[in-house]
Amino acid sequence: MPDFVPDLSIILTFALAALVLAITPGPDMALFVSRTMNFGKLHGFAAGLGTTSGIAVHTCLVAFGISVLIVAAPALFWALKIVGALYLLWLAIQAIRSGGGILVTRAAGRQPSFAQSYMTGLGINLTNPKVALFFVTFLPQFVSAHDPAAAQKLLFLGVEFIVVSIPIVAATVLFAGWLTTTLRDNAWVSKALNWSFAAVFMAFAATILLAEGRR
């Protein structure tokens, strides 16, 4: 198997985490639904393509930045992994406490172009500090400081995240009306998503902290 491909267990574990994150309501999902309800499915897909492009940018920045950090300051890389585990715990607690939900607002004014819908999605993703912080703290958990192919594996995982997310984006756009009603009117759906999100990331955080603590 090529050096840039992580172990199968890591690929499957990361896919599960990416799936849980992708189906958890947030600003990106709210944008897909809002654009679809107001301007049609093509605008929903355009916004989704924009946010996906933002994820690709975040992945590249993290992959090359982390690879430099591994070489220049291994101790800081170790500290980043610990901070990342604590951040995942915080995300899990927030998911349980917040109750989740999705905010969809009606748009006003003239209909935007597809390019404008794309740029809106890209802008929301790139300027969301939570997205940047998530990628900076989450992706490094899946590589070792001693792995010479760490940067390539981070890029592989970033592509995997996009591949997992694309069907969720498509389904969100295609079922925007039903999704909005379900998330607004059925509290148990939001709770189930939040608890799933919390469980996955609590498990990651615990595993990371125990593994790093034994070193």
Side-chain angles (χ1 to χ4, degrees), residues 101-123:
I102 183 170
L103 176 63
V104 180
T105 57
R106 299 294 298 180
R110 65 183 180 84
Q111 178 165 314
S113 66
F114 293 121
Q116 288 173 326
S117 289
Y118 170 84
M119 292 304 297
T120 300
L122 177 63

Side-chain angles (χ1 to χ4, degrees), residues 28-47:
D28 288 357
M29 184 178 288
L31 177 65
F32 309 151
V33 174
S34 181
R35 288 281 161 158
T36 302
M37 292 179 64
N38 286 291
F39 306 118
K41 293 177 182 177
L42 291 180
H43 281 276
F45 285 123

